């Protein structure tokens, strides 16, 4: 990663590449883990890496992987077309700088080394001054309607908080103002939030079909929306938070894919209507961050519900179980697609570099505190969490295990709110039905140690399609099946992603999606024989299976509403079904029944 700042060849062609993002993304993961563990060796490594990078910083503050620091947008499209053979507008200069600045800022905070924070500040100041001197609007840089460049909003606000430099807050205001422009220039979050449709449809009749298809990039747009929440907290601008909340609702309704995340292969493209789901871990991780930001800003349980669903399914499915690598594409059936090195690198991929952030965001949101002093426990996977005055230990291997055991140690009497997921019609605390209000049940914990056993409705649920496929979207699916991102080169061969013509049902156990999987003995015929299992006319009963190489395994027995047996098949939790690097043409799982 550091060598990319020595070589500075991201702009060696007529477009701009993204080697410069890997150091910052990796450093964000290092910093978050170091903050959690306080490991002296890791903190020392972080400091040393930062200082090696800082030695490459130019006198004016520039620190990047482009030789031409002012090359922030492709302008010679005709020349690019001649040299590359297609209309490529890639430019990731400011995007790469964003992660460098952000990584330095977080590393400086964790290590306590102010010179690292100062280097981040000098880098961002150079960018701001350069844009202003050349009269360049940041929304007119990069690609994808300026979304990648505008993700610098969040680190600008973090640096303002760390340094008090008003230039960074002014720059943040400048970015946000560009999202509320006359003429409805994209992305215009403020003027489109009330349209109540997916961003893919914001510019119908204005953009070409290809532009509509390509501009709303999931990772970058969601990063910008997350920045709006940070902006609202820094400035008190309630309108920014309101817009973020409105767009969360739209995206979770129209772009929720079948594996628990949002978007279709890194684009917002009415993903809820496309059964052949594929999602990038980068998109999953930034969606987790967005939900976490909304949850911590509002305390509303629904955002934690979505975090849990996304984390336990789409996120964990993107992490190889041996911890050495991750996926590029998390899919609904056949197999996930392992990440390949990107942008001319040999050991780096954007999704893999991002993975530690996903773990840490989920962990960080486990225990929080309200303004009135009440504590909130959001998740019930095994964990140990501490805040001032209270520590919590959660055990029970939930939700594969039936009961979540919560041990609480309190310095003094306190109120602990326990999240009740929206999918469960009840919660039992120590065997008794508990009252639920706004997604929470409360217990008064005494000083000292107390224990609580939590039970929810973990019976199997047959889940209908996210949204029906209408005629317009059938056409969209036909179009996108011809786009390059429906095929990925694997060992030199193009492997198509299957397009399903029928919407098929899924099965859940609490927050876990289940998959027919070869890992638990399901045959290829069983995995890909998709029956019409109706949520209203069928039932599913799960019987635990022991000794399988997965987190959770069950025999799923399906029957009709009159009790007549239909079929049975071995299933596992979805994230375990394909969380290893696939063999060529290996058929591993399907979430459809």
């Amino acid at each position: 990663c550091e060598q990319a700042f020595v070589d500075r060849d991201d702009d060696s062609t007529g477009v701009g590449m993204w080697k410069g993002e890997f150091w910052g993304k990796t450093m964000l993961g290092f910093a978050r883990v170091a903050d959690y563990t306080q490991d002296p060796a890791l903190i020392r490594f972080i400091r040393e890496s930062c200082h090696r990078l800082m030695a490459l910083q130019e006198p004016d503050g520039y620190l990047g992987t482009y030789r031409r620091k002012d090359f922030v947008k492709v302008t010679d499209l005709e020349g690019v077309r001649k040299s590359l053979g297609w209309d490529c507008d890639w430019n990731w200069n400011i995007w790469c700088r964003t992660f460098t600045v952000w990584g330095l800022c977080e590393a400086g905070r964790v290590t306590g080394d102010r010179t690292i924070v100062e280097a981040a500040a000098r880098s961002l100041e150079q960018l701001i001054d350069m844009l202003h001197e050349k009269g360049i609007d940041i929304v007119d840089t990069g690609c994808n309607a300026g979304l990648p460049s505008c993700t610098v909003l969040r680190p600008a606000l973090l640096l303002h908080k760390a340094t008090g430099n008003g230039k960074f807050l002014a720059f943040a205001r400048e970015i946000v103002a560009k999202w509320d422009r006359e003429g409805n220039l994209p992305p215009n979050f403020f003027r489109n939030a009330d349209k109540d449709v997916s961003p893919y449809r914001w510019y119908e009749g204005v953009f070409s079909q290809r532009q509509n298809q390509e501009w709303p990039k999931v990772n970058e747009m969601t990063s910008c929306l997350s920045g709006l929440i940070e902006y609202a907290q820094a400035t008190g601008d309630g309108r920014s938070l309101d817009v973020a909340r409105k767009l969360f609702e739209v995206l979770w309704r129209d772009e929720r894919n079948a594996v628990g995340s949002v978007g279709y292969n890194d684009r917002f493209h009415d993903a809820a209507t496309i059964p052949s789901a594929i999602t990038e871990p980068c998109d999953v991780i930034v969606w987790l961050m967005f939900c976490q930001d909304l949850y911590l800003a509002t305390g509303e349980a629904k955002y934690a519900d979505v975090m849990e669903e996304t984390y336990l399914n789409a996120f964990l499915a993107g992490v190889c179980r041996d911890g050495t690598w991750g996926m590029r594409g998390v899919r609904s059936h056949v197999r996930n697609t392992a990440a390949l090195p990107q942008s001319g690198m040999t050991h780096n991929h954007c999704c893999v570099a991002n993975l530690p952030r996903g773990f840490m965001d989920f962990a960080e949101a486990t225990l929080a505190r309200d303004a009135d002093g009440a504590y909130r426990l959001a998740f019930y996977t095994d964990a140990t969490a501490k805040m001032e005055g209270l520590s919590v230990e959660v055990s029970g291997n939930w939700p594969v295990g039936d009961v979540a055991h919560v041990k609480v140690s309190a310095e003094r009497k306190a109120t602990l709110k326990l999240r009740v997921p929206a999918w469960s019609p009840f919660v039992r605390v120590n065997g008794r039905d508990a009252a639920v209000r706004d997604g929470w049940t409360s217990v008064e914990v005494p000083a000292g140690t107390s224990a609580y056993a939590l039970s929810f409705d973990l019976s199997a649920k047959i889940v209908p399609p996210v949204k029906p496929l209408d005629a317009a979207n059938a056409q969209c699916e036909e179009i996108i099946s011809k786009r390059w991102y429906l095929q990925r080169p694997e060992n030199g061969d193009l492997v198509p992603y299957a397009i399903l013509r029928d919407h098929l049902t899924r099965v859940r156990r609490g927050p876990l999606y289940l998959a027919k999987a070869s890992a638990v003995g399901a045959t290829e015929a069983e995995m890909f024989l998709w029956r019409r299992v109706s949520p209203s006319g069928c039932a599913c009963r799960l019987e635990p299976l022991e000794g399988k190489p997965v987190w959770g395994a069950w025999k799923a027995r399906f029957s009709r509403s009159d009790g007549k047996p239909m079929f049975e098949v071995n299933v596992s939790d979805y994230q375990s079904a394909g969380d290893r690097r696939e063999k060529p043409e290996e058929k591993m799982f399907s979430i459809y029944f």
Side-chain angles (χ1 to χ4, degrees):
C1 295
E2 295 172 19
Q3 187 63 35
F5 292 81
V6 176
D7 297 338
R8 287 176 58 173
D9 60 0
D10 260 344
D11 57 342
S12 58
T13 65
V15 297
M17 303 299 280
W18 58 92
K19 289 181 183 178
E21 79 175 58
F22 298 124
W23 184 90
K25 283 188 173 181
T26 304
M27 182 53 66
L28 286 174
F30 285 152
R32 295 289 298 282
V33 172
D35 198 21
Y36 177 72
T37 64
Q38 292 298 305
D39 182 341
L42 181 55
I43 292 172
R44 183 171 59 254
F45 170 83
I46 289 170
R47 182 183 291 109
E48 291 171 353
S49 179
C50 288
H51 279 272
R52 285 193 296 269
L53 205 69
M54 290 155 57
L56 302 172
Q57 191 165 27
E58 294 186 358
D60 67 352
Y62 174 66
L63 181 59
T65 56
Y66 282 57
R67 290 198 181 277
R68 294 170 290 163
K69 66 187 75 173
D70 61 351
F71 177 46
V72 293
K73 186 175 179 64
V74 172
T75 55
D76 183 12
L77 284 173
E78 185 174 346
V80 168
R81 189 182 303 115
K82 289 179 180 178
S83 63
L84 298 183
W86 64 289
D87 294 337
C88 179
D89 65 348
W90 290 350
N91 187 291
W92 300 91
N93 187 342
I94 297 177
W95 166 262
C96 291
R97 293 205 222 178
T98 292
F99 283 99
T100 302
V101 168
W102 192 1
L104 286 168
C105 185
E106 287 295 285
R109 179 183 63 80
V110 170
T111 61
D113 187 337
R114 289 296 299 178
T115 65
I116 298 176
V117 177
E118 290 164 4
R122 290 177 56 228
S123 178
L124 185 55
E125 281 197 88
Q126 186 276 328
L127 173 62
I128 296 169
D129 291 343
M130 182 186 75
L131 293 176
H132 289 168
E133 289 167 6
K134 293 182 175 295
I136 301 172
D137 283 341
I138 192 168
V139 289
D140 296 327
T141 67
C143 48
N144 299 100
L147 292 171
S149 297
C150 288
T151 59
V152 75
L153 173 63
R154 189 184 191 99
L157 291 165
L158 293 177
L159 272 177
H160 172 255
K161 184 177 181 179
T163 67
N165 188 335
K167 179 182 284 189
F168 301 140
L169 182 59
F171 186 49
R173 294 185 189 277
E174 182 181 321
I175 294 171
V176 172
K178 298 297 182 181
W179 295 338
D180 190 16
R181 292 184 286 175
E182 294 294 336
N184 195 25
L185 297 173
N188 263 30
F189 298 128
F190 289 85
R191 304 201 180 193
N192 288 303
D194 290 324
K195 285 185 176 179
D196 199 33
V197 293
S198 170
Y200 167 70
R201 299 191 178 278
W202 286 356
Y203 295 100
E204 286 181 319
V206 178
F207 281 0
S208 68
Q209 198 161 41
R210 177 176 174 181
Q211 286 174 311
N212 276 331
Q213 202 168 283
E214 294 187 349
W215 84 269
K217 206 162 179 297
V218 176
N219 182 348
E220 292 77 2
M221 183 180 289
T222 311
S223 293
C224 289
L225 295 177
S226 187
L228 270 183
I229 303 168
E230 191 81 30
Y231 181 79
Q233 294 176 322
T235 64
D237 178 21
R239 186 172 176 233
S240 293
L241 179 59
D242 186 51
V243 164
R245 295 180 69 171
K246 287 179 179 178
L247 291 177
F248 165 86
E249 299 292 343
V250 169
L251 296 177
W252 194 235
R253 182 194 67 201
D254 292 347
E255 296 292 345
R256 178 183 184 180
N257 57 46
V259 296
S261 185
V262 290
Y264 179 80
N265 208 9
D266 200 30
R267 297 297 192 277
F268 287 127
H269 196 106
D270 286 340
T273 66
I274 302 175
S276 184
I278 175 171
T279 192
E280 272 200 353
C282 271
D283 302 339
V284 177
I285 290 156
V286 176
W287 177 251
L288 276 173
M289 179 177 72
F290 182 44
C291 294
Q292 179 200 24
D293 288 343
L294 284 168
Y295 168 62
L296 295 179
T298 66
E300 293 185 25
K302 66 179 177 181
Y303 301 120
D305 285 348
V306 175
M307 276 195 79
E308 181 177 71
E309 179 175 334
T310 298
Y311 179 82
L312 292 178
N313 296 287
F315 173 75
L316 290 180
V319 184
C320 291
R321 68 172 62 186
D322 63 5
T324 61
W325 199 243
M327 304 299 169
R328 182 267 159 204
V330 175
R331 298 172 59 189
S332 53
H333 55 287
V334 183
R335 63 183 180 273
N336 297 326
T337 304
L340 299 175
Q342 280 182 328
S343 196
M345 306 290 272
T346 55
H347 301 290
N348 289 282
H349 186 281
C350 60
C351 294
V352 179
N354 256 338
L355 289 173
R357 289 170 55 199
F359 284 110
M360 299 314 300
D361 283 347
F362 188 76
E364 186 178 62
T366 296
L367 188 63
R369 199 170 188 183
D370 289 337
D372 64 4
Y375 298 90
R376 280 183 273 119
L377 182 63
F379 307 125
Y380 304 110
T381 49
D382 290 4
T384 299
K386 298 180 181 180
M387 296 192 79
E388 183 180 356
L390 190 90
S391 65
V392 175
E393 181 181 335
V394 186
S395 61
N397 197 33
W398 189 91
V400 171
D402 292 334
V403 179
H405 297 276
V406 180
K407 181 180 177 181
V408 183
S409 297
E411 294 179 2
R412 61 188 66 85
K413 182 179 178 181
T415 299
L416 177 62
K417 295 180 179 178
L418 304 165
R419 182 179 61 88
V420 181
W423 47 260
S424 181
F426 65 80
V427 59
R428 295 189 179 104
V429 180
N430 292 339
R432 297 183 178 182
D433 288 340
V436 180
R437 181 178 179 182
D438 297 328
W440 301 94
T441 190
S442 296
V443 294
E444 297 300 320
V445 300
T449 301
S450 53
Y452 306 91
L454 307 182
S455 301
F456 303 95
D457 181 7
L458 290 175
S459 60
K461 300 289 192 303
I462 298 175
V463 182
V466 180
K467 283 184 71 177
L469 180 67
D470 60 30
N473 280 297
Q475 182 183 12
C476 290
E477 186 175 5
E478 190 67 36
I479 291 167
I480 59 179
S481 71
K482 299 173 183 177
R483 295 292 299 147
W484 71 268
Y485 50 79
L486 263 174
Q487 300 184 42
R488 302 293 296 181
E490 298 180 12
N491 301 321
D493 299 322
L494 289 177
V495 178
Y497 294 144
I499 297 293
L500 303 180
R501 290 301 169 198
D502 293 319
H503 274 277
L504 304 164
T505 51
R506 295 159 293 151
V507 177
R508 289 179 61 155
R509 172 185 162 89
L512 293 178
Y513 293 130
L514 304 184
K516 298 176 291 184
S518 60
V520 293
T523 67
E524 185 173 323
E526 288 174 324
M527 287 189 286
F528 303 108
L529 175 60
W530 295 317
R531 307 167 188 259
R532 293 194 176 275
V533 179
S534 168
S536 59
C538 304
C540 177
R541 181 167 53 88
L542 300 175
E543 298 176 3
L545 296 174
E546 302 297 333
K548 302 296 184 180
V550 293
W551 186 18
W554 298 268
K555 174 75 72 177
R557 301 185 186 276
F558 290 84
S559 59
R560 302 191 189 282
S561 55
D562 61 5
K564 183 178 179 181
M566 293 175 61
F567 67 97
E568 60 184 48
V569 64
N570 288 358
V571 299
S572 77
D573 61 292
Y574 164 68
Q575 68 96 9
S576 294
D579 62 348
R580 61 192 188 278
R581 300 194 205 195
E582 73 280 1
K583 300 175 183 177
E585 301 305 317
E586 183 178 7
K587 297 177 176 63
M588 302 171 74
F589 64 88
S590 173
I591 66 169
Y592 292 116
F593 286 83

